Amino acid sequence: MENFFNDEIEKTVFISEEQLRDVRERKLYGRYFPDTFIFNVYPEELKERGEYLCTVQALETQVDETDTGLSASVSGGRLLFFSEGKNLKVESYGLYQSIFSRNKGILETDIMSGKRAVILGCGSVGSLVAMELARSGVGHFLLCDADIVEYHNICRHQCGIEDVGDLKVNALERKLKNINPSVDVQKYEGIAQNLPKAQLDAFCVPGDTVFVGCADNRAADVYTNRISIYYSSYFISIGFWERAYAGEIFYHVPDRGMPCYECALGDGGNISARAQANHHIYSNQELTEGMKFEPGISVDINFITTIGIKLAIDLLNLTNADYIPRVLNDLKQYTVVCNTSNPQIGGEMVEIFSYPLQITRSLVVGFGKASCVDHQCCRYELQEKQERQKKQESQE
C-alpha cells in the first residue's frame, strides 16, 4: 500500500506484551482496519468480541506470499507476524500501563486499581459513573440493578442498540471490560435492598470503597447510606429533579461527625414540598396519563453526574496525601446544581436559581434526629461503633 507521496504504508500489528510473550499454539482474535492497515489483536479477556485473525503456529512454517490476511509463527522463542509474505511491524504495549498512562501524575494507577465502587442503579446515571470511574483506574466494581436495557433508554444510557434486551448489569460489565479488560466486576440482578450481605462482605474494603446511589428514589439512598456506614465506606447520592433541570448531590464520610442521608434529608416525607415534589423522578418513568414529570436529556443528566463523579474520585483518594482534591474542599455535604434558570424549560421552580449552571454551595444540612443531635453523631454510626467495641471486648 502506498500513500500520496508513494511511500509504502506498512501493515502493523498491535498486541499486548503479555500476548507477545505467549508462544503457545492458539487462535488470535481481534479486528483488521483496512483504512489504517492495522491488525488489532484483542486481549485474551475480550477475544470473544473479535473476529478470527489467525492461529499461532508453534513451529516455524512456510510463509504464503499470496495470503493477504494475518499469519503468526514462533521462531527463536519469538512470535512473528506475516502478511503477503512480509514480516510485519509489531507495536506491543503493557495493557494496563498504556490504558492509564495519560492519568499518571493526576491519578496514580497503582492506588486507583485497588479502589472499589458499589453502583446502586445502572441506568443513565450509574452507567456514566461506572465508566468514568473505570477510566480513572478504579479496579473493582459491584453493579446492582434489576432492569434490562430497552430502546427508550438509549438516548440517555451509555449502552446502545447492541445491548437492548440484556440486563443492564451485563451490558455495563461489557463496557467496563472494553475500557479495562482486567477490571474485576461483580454483579447482582436485583434492587439495592436485596443485595446479599455475603456478597458485600466479600467485596467491601473499609476506606477503599465508595457506594454510589444512582437509583430513582430516596428510600434506596437511605438504605444504601446505612450499608456504607456498616462497611466504613464512603457514600454519594446523585439524584435529579423534574426534566433534570436540576439535581442534587449528597455525600457522607464515615467517622467525620456528618449526618447520614436519612438524618439530613429524610426519606422524602420530612423535607420541603419543593424538593419532595421533584426528587429523583427523571429516569425509568414513562409519560403516562396524569404524570407531570418528564425524563431529562442526556447532556443535562451528564453535567450534574460528572460533578458527582469528581466527588467520588476525591473521596477514594481522601487518605492519599499526594492527591489534590478536585471539588471536595469546595462543596458542602449537600449540593444542588441547575442546568437552566429558564422557566420555559424547567417550569416555575427554576426561580430558586439565579443563573444557568449554578452550583449552590450554601446549603447546610444537620442532624434531623434528636438522638443524633445529642451525640453529634449519626445514630447508625454510633450503633456500629458500639457493636465493634462489644466485639473487641468479647475477644479480649
Side-chain angles (χ1 to χ4, degrees):
M1 301 295 178
E2 295 179 345
N3 65 10
F4 180 82
F5 298 103
N6 296 320
D7 298 324
E8 185 175 0
I9 301 174
E10 295 181 86
K11 286 185 176 180
T12 304
V13 177
F14 286 178
I15 186 170
S16 71
E17 292 172 355
E18 295 84 354
Q19 288 177 296
L20 193 59
R21 289 193 296 266
D22 186 353
V23 294
R24 295 173 299 124
E25 184 172 315
R26 68 196 192 282
K27 294 181 178 180
L28 297 180
Y29 296 85
R31 189 175 176 188
Y32 175 64
F33 295 92
D35 290 339
T36 58
F37 311 115
I38 289 175
F39 291 96
N40 180 22
V41 180
Y42 287 3
E44 191 69 19
E45 297 90 340
L46 299 180
K47 65 181 183 180
E48 72 279 358
R49 301 191 202 178
E51 303 167 359
Y52 171 74
L53 295 178
C54 67
T55 298
V56 175
Q57 302 297 323
L59 298 175
E60 190 170 357
T61 58
Q62 185 71 31
V63 176
D64 184 357
E65 296 186 3
T66 65
D67 186 1
T68 59
L70 184 68
S71 59
S73 64
V74 177
S75 177
R78 295 178 58 219
L79 191 57
L80 303 178
F81 292 93
F82 302 89
S83 181
E84 299 176 293
K86 297 180 180 179
N87 194 341
L88 299 186
K89 176 184 177 182
V90 174
E91 292 192 8
S92 63
Y93 55 89
L95 183 62
Y96 191 80
Q97 289 78 8
S98 293
I99 291 173
F100 299 106
S101 61
R102 296 299 177 93
N103 289 351
K104 191 170 180 60
I106 304 172
L107 289 170
E108 294 307 321
T109 300
D110 292 342
I111 294 176
M112 294 302 292
S113 64
K115 301 302 181 181
R116 298 164 176 268
V118 183
I119 309 297
L120 288 309
C122 296
S124 53
V125 179
S127 62
L128 180 61
V129 171
M131 290 181 68
E132 289 303 320
L133 289 181
R135 291 188 177 102
S136 300
V138 172
H140 305 268
F141 290 86
L142 174 53
L143 309 178
C144 175
D145 200 299
D147 293 338
I148 66 172
V149 181
E150 299 185 59
Y151 278 100
H152 65 78
N153 298 135
I154 294 173
C155 67
R156 298 187 301 276
H157 206 278
Q158 297 301 304
C159 295
I161 288 177
E162 70 274 14
D163 301 303
V164 169
D166 200 358
L167 290 167
K168 288 180 179 178
V169 292
N170 291 341
L172 186 51
E173 178 187 26
R174 287 194 293 272
K175 297 294 183 183
L176 297 181
K177 287 188 176 292
N178 206 34
I179 296 170
N180 175 13
S182 62
V183 71
D184 167 42
V185 180
Q186 308 294 321
K187 297 175 293 185
Y188 175 69
E189 178 193 349
I191 62 174
Q193 289 89 333
N194 293 337
L195 191 57
K197 182 177 182 298
Q199 192 169 9
L200 287 166
D201 287 345
F203 183 83
C204 296
V205 175
D208 284 335
T209 306
V210 61
F211 284 74
V212 188
C214 306
D216 54 4
N217 63 84
R218 291 193 187 277
D221 287 337
V222 168
Y223 185 79
T224 301
N225 197 175
R226 288 188 63 181
I227 296 176
S228 71
I229 291 171
Y230 178 85
Y231 290 103
S232 298
S233 299
Y234 311 113
F235 168 76
I236 296 176
S237 164
I238 305 173
F240 291 80
W241 297 1
E242 182 180 352
R243 302 179 190 144
Y245 81 81
E248 53 186 47
I249 299 169
F250 175 90
Y251 75 93
H252 178 266
V253 179
D255 301 319
R256 292 290 183 95
M258 302 171 71
C260 71
Y261 189 95
E262 181 181 5
C263 206
L265 299 175
D267 59 2
N270 60 345
I271 56 177
S272 70
R274 171 170 287 167
Q276 171 72 3
N278 288 280
H279 74 283
H280 294 230
I281 47 68
Y282 79 98
S283 68
N284 298 326
Q285 300 278 356
E286 297 293 339
L287 293 178
T288 56
E289 184 179 356
M291 182 180 289
K292 67 175 182 178
F293 302 123
E294 300 174 11
I297 62 174
S298 179
V299 68
D300 288 339
I301 294 167
N302 293 354
F303 170 66
I304 295 170
T305 301
T306 298
I307 298 173
I309 296 167
K310 287 174 177 283
L311 185 57
I313 294 171
D314 283 355
L315 291 175
L316 287 172
N317 285 276
L318 200 57
T319 58
N320 180 4
D322 297 325
Y323 175 81
I324 302 174
R326 269 44 185 176
V327 297
L328 181 61
N329 295 340
D330 298 299
L331 295 182
K332 297 292 186 180
Q333 189 179 0
Y334 178 60
T335 301
V336 174
V337 184
C338 82
N339 278 303
T340 181
S341 58
N342 189 331
Q344 290 182 305
I345 299 174
E348 296 179 0
M349 301 289 289
V350 299
E351 67 188 19
I352 66 173
F353 300 109
S354 303
Y355 54 88
L357 308 185
Q358 179 178 340
I359 300 176
T360 303
R361 301 183 299 168
S362 59
L363 300 174
V364 178
V365 293
F367 296 104
K369 305 292 182 181
S371 58
C372 301
V373 174
D374 292 341
H375 293 92
Q376 283 299 293
C377 176
C378 168
R379 68 186 186 281
Y380 299 125
E381 282 194 88
L382 189 60
Q383 290 172 6
E384 291 303 325
K385 288 178 182 177
Q386 292 171 343
E387 288 296 324
R388 287 195 291 268
Q389 186 175 354
K390 286 181 183 178
K391 188 177 295 185
Q392 185 176 357
E393 291 174 350
S394 64
Q395 291 174 348
E396 294 174 353

